Amino acid sequence: MIYEIKRGNTVLAAVHAEGVQDVSVMENDRAEHKFQLPVHVDFKRGDTVEVYGQIYKINRSANVGRTNEKQGLGYEIEFEALYYDLAKWQLKGLDAANELTVSEVYLTGTASTVIDLIVRNANRVDSGWEIGVVDDTEAQQFTFVNQSLLAVLTELASRFESEYWVDGKVIHLQKREASTGLSLEFGKGKGLYKLTRGRTETSVINRLYVEGASRNLPSGYGFTRLQLPLADRPYLEAPIGPEEEIVEHTVFFDNIFPSR
């Protein structure tokens, strides 16, 4: 089977790959590809491939190794489902201006209430995220402080003894059947030689929310913590290139507050 690896709508390479699609509920949704190309192609984070109707994306650099002259270059790439991006973005609550800027979120609501907030935050950074099938639940009290959207989704499934899954960018929360534990394989097994460029496992934070303490804030301030004196945005951000993705984090400084 031929797989097209794309950057946006541009096809970078059409490859005949071997590998494994590893899918398990609330744990893994990855596709590993091994293939060879006669010339070098600089695959980057954000490049995508479609496998069995699902879009997967590169989140870590590829392993690249040289074989012999006839075979060219061997590639080993791990693609991940789009919902892995939810681990890069943080849950923010609504401030007095109805903007998603508050890092300490206290709310009472059903599973649908929290899923709606997750989707709104995902669309704050990206676009196209939607609410899918969500079970009707009783309302509960929630406290989320400096947590990623994926961590909140995992906690939500635990609180309601349910399961989440994501089709593309559609988030569902519903009890499902047990996983079969099967891995679907494609292609024939072939080895690569040892000259490789390895993948890096860490994500570099490029959007940082910095907040002070909640002491001595003036009446009508509009935030529960002291904010940065920035007029256009409530965070610090490194230059982000057209092929880079936003990775968020929040830090609190409880020793910084208005004082004389």
Side-chain angles (χ1 to χ4, degrees), residues 214-256:
S214 57
R215 296 173 55 186
N216 298 348
L217 299 181
S219 176
Y221 183 64
F223 299 93
T224 58
R225 284 180 172 270
L226 184 66
Q227 301 294 301
L228 291 171
L230 300 176
D232 57 338
R233 61 179 186 271
Y235 50 79
L236 302 173
E237 188 169 88
I240 300 175
E243 297 175 354
E244 294 183 88
E245 297 177 312
I246 295 172
V247 180
E248 298 182 319
H249 186 64
T250 302
V251 292
F252 298 137
F253 291 92
D254 289 326
N255 62 327
I256 298 177

Side-chain angles (χ1 to χ4, degrees), residues 104-157:
E104 297 172 294
V105 181
Y106 307 95
L107 62 87
T108 299
T110 64
S112 294
T113 305
V114 182
I115 294 290
D116 176 70
L117 188 59
I118 291 172
V119 168
R120 293 178 67 176
N121 273 273
N123 286 322
R124 169 177 59 83
V125 184
D126 193 20
S127 63
W129 292 87
E130 301 177 12
I131 301 175
V133 179
V134 179
D135 282 340
D136 292 330
T137 66
E138 298 292 331
Q140 292 191 23
Q141 292 183 334
F142 297 93
T143 300
F144 304 114
V145 179
N146 197 11
Q147 289 182 254
S148 74
L149 302 184
L150 188 58
V152 172
L153 189 57
T154 301
E155 180 178 337
L156 188 66

